[in-house]
Amino acid sequence: MPFELVSSVENLGSKETSQDRASLPFTLAELKAAIPAECFQPSTWRSLAYFFLDIGIISLLYVVASAIDSWWFFPIFWVMQGTMFWALFVVGHDCGHRSFSKYKWLNNLVGHLAHTPILVPFHGWRISHRTHHNNTGNIDTDESWYPVTEATYRQMAWYEKLLRFQLILFLYPLYLFKRSPGKQGSHFLPSSNLFRPSEKWDVITSTICCGLMIAFLGGLTYLYGWMFLLKYYLVPYVIFVIWLDLVTFLHHTEPDIPWYRGEEWYFLRGALSTIDRDYGWINPIHHDIGTHVAHHIFLNMPHYHLRTATEAIKPILGNYYRKSQVSILRALWQSYKSCYFVSDTGGVVYYQSPKELKD
């Protein structure tokens, strides 16, 4: 086995049922009790320090790139800046989970400051991400990177298969506008069934912020030309999208990770369908987002406590804990080749590849 088995349990407010106790050799309460209490307490100043550190590095990179202004340096700048855009997204991710601070207004403010520059509608994304966490591992109701069925795969047009299975590292902007296959709506429109009527103005606010960012970029392009936009924003943005799609794809896509439908799914069981991955020296740069199991267990835990929490719960999770032991590129290649669709029937199913199709 290339990875250890993992467990995931999520919401602090989730209630355990007799079904949970019957199916798993541990409970949510036992997991929570094993974690030091301070891990559940966000530090506003520490969170802000990470935010300002990311902003500072992004600003410094712009200053250095502008000063050098040479084509030999721009590929280096693009990779570094795109990676920092991704790190900034993760800070906004904490804001969306309300794990950045105890103050709702501060979470919303920093969330917009982190996400708007990289054209992510903070509230629209925050709400759809909430849907993902509440339905992890459920084929029918999960929000992102869930598998299509064999019947759906057979009916997909060639261009749909190209986007879904070959261009997996470039899908995020399309997802924001169109969502995943089989789902309707947009992260930018309050009319989407993603959102409750009470969330209308949250969605509109974030959409307006993204619109203002696009207008700002348009103004820069008008003043300095398309090449300026390409060098200083568009290429780093593409690198950011690649990072986001890579990491989120690998969070939940693995041949041995089960998916559920119908009565086979319930929160605690579905939350098991995730996996920790090691990004090496990138781990501290993108705020340990690869430590994903503990995050799905307690989503309102600050990112800087996830490693401590993981070590605390691993003895309890035992064989239900998954952590990849292979390199990121190898894991991507394995999932890219093997994870296309799941069976049309069955309560517990696994990814299959086109090679397994029976004509």
Side-chain angles (χ1 to χ4, degrees):
M1 294 288 288
F3 52 79
E4 306 168 49
L5 284 178
V6 52
S7 171
S8 165
V9 189
E10 176 193 77
N11 236 323
L12 286 174
S14 298
K15 294 182 179 179
E16 296 172 306
T17 66
S18 58
Q19 187 179 32
D20 296 335
R21 288 184 175 275
S23 301
L24 297 171
F26 50 82
T27 66
L28 179 62
E30 290 168 345
L31 293 171
K32 183 179 179 182
I35 300 172
E38 58 267 23
C39 287
F40 297 100
Q41 301 301 318
S43 166
T44 299
W45 293 111
R46 186 172 180 181
S47 296
L48 284 171
Y50 283 108
F51 170 67
F52 285 117
L53 176 63
D54 288 350
I55 292 295
I57 294 174
I58 289 171
S59 301
L60 178 62
L61 286 172
Y62 274 127
V63 170
V64 173
S66 178
I68 295 177
D69 194 20
S70 173
W71 281 106
W72 70 263
F73 179 73
F74 275 109
I76 301 172
F77 164 75
W78 292 334
V79 172
M80 295 176 68
Q81 194 69 298
T83 302
M84 289 310 304
F85 282 5
W86 165 233
L88 191 62
F89 174 88
V90 177
V91 170
H93 170 268
D94 265 19
C95 294
H97 282 299
R98 308 310 192 199
S99 60
F100 184 87
S101 79
K102 297 179 180 179
Y103 307 103
K104 181 179 178 180
W105 69 268
L106 185 60
N107 291 324
N108 289 343
L109 174 62
V110 176
H112 280 95
L113 291 175
H115 278 186
T116 299
I118 48 180
L119 298 179
V120 176
F122 173 69
H123 282 305
W125 168 84
R126 173 183 64 80
I127 295 166
S128 75
H129 196 62
R130 176 188 67 197
T131 302
H132 161 61
H133 272 273
N134 288 341
N135 297 274
T136 303
N138 189 318
I139 295 173
D140 300 314
T141 58
D142 203 343
E143 174 60 25
S144 59
W145 290 120
Y146 56 85
V148 299
T149 64
E150 179 180 335
T152 299
Y153 179 81
R154 289 179 180 273
Q155 296 170 2
M156 292 174 72
W158 68 268
Y159 58 87
E160 292 177 311
K161 291 181 179 178
L162 176 68
L163 287 172
R164 172 77 176 187
F165 304 111
Q166 272 68 55
L167 301 179
I168 57 174
L169 298 183
F170 303 93
L171 287 178
Y172 188 66
L174 180 62
Y175 166 69
L176 290 178
F177 280 98
K178 298 281 291 182
R179 296 179 70 192
S180 298
K183 297 185 183 296
Q184 303 296 320
S186 168
H187 287 75
F188 297 95
L189 300 176
S191 58
S192 172
N193 61 12
L194 270 170
F195 311 123
R196 303 163 184 162
S198 61
E199 295 167 332
K200 173 182 177 180
W201 287 107
D202 282 347
V203 176
I204 290 175
T205 297
S206 296
T207 299
I208 290 174
C209 287
C210 286
L212 292 174
M213 182 62 193
I214 292 174
F216 173 70
L217 293 172
L220 290 177
T221 304
Y222 177 78
L223 290 173
Y224 302 108
W226 283 101
M227 190 57 67
F228 178 91
L229 183 70
L230 180 71
K231 292 192 301 183
Y232 290 101
Y233 187 82
L234 288 183
V235 179
Y237 174 79
V238 171
I239 299 298
F240 151 66
V241 168
I242 290 173
W243 265 117
L244 192 153
D245 280 326
L246 169 69
V247 175
T248 55
F249 175 76
L250 291 179
H251 279 164
H252 302 283
T253 310
E254 182 82 19
D256 289 350
I257 287 182
W259 288 81
Y260 306 96
R261 58 164 59 97
E263 294 183 356
E264 291 290 345
W265 181 91
Y266 51 92
F267 171 78
L268 191 56
R269 194 181 194 191
L272 299 176
S273 296
T274 189
I275 183 171
D276 280 3
R277 298 192 186 274
D278 186 0
Y279 292 84
W281 60 271
I282 296 291
N283 286 332
I285 295 177
H286 69 183
H287 307 302
D288 288 319
I289 193 63
T291 311
H292 208 62
V293 173
H295 171 62
H296 264 274
I297 296 174
F298 299 110
L299 63 88
N300 55 354
M301 182 182 294
H303 75 264
Y304 40 83
H305 292 316
L306 289 177
R307 286 188 174 275
T308 300
T310 298
E311 293 305 312
I313 61 178
K314 279 171 63 175
I316 299 176
L317 298 179
N319 288 336
Y320 289 90
Y321 176 77
R322 284 190 181 87
K323 180 177 180 179
S324 175
Q325 303 294 346
V326 305
S327 70
I328 295 302
L329 291 180
R330 182 183 173 192
L332 175 64
W333 179 244
Q334 289 176 342
S335 293
Y336 173 81
K337 291 190 303 179
S338 306
C339 300
Y340 281 73
F341 56 84
V342 295
S343 173
D344 296 323
T345 59
V348 183
V349 292
Y350 295 84
Y351 270 112
Q352 301 176 48
S353 73
K355 294 180 180 179
E356 300 174 72
L357 281 176
K358 297 179 181 179
D359 295 325

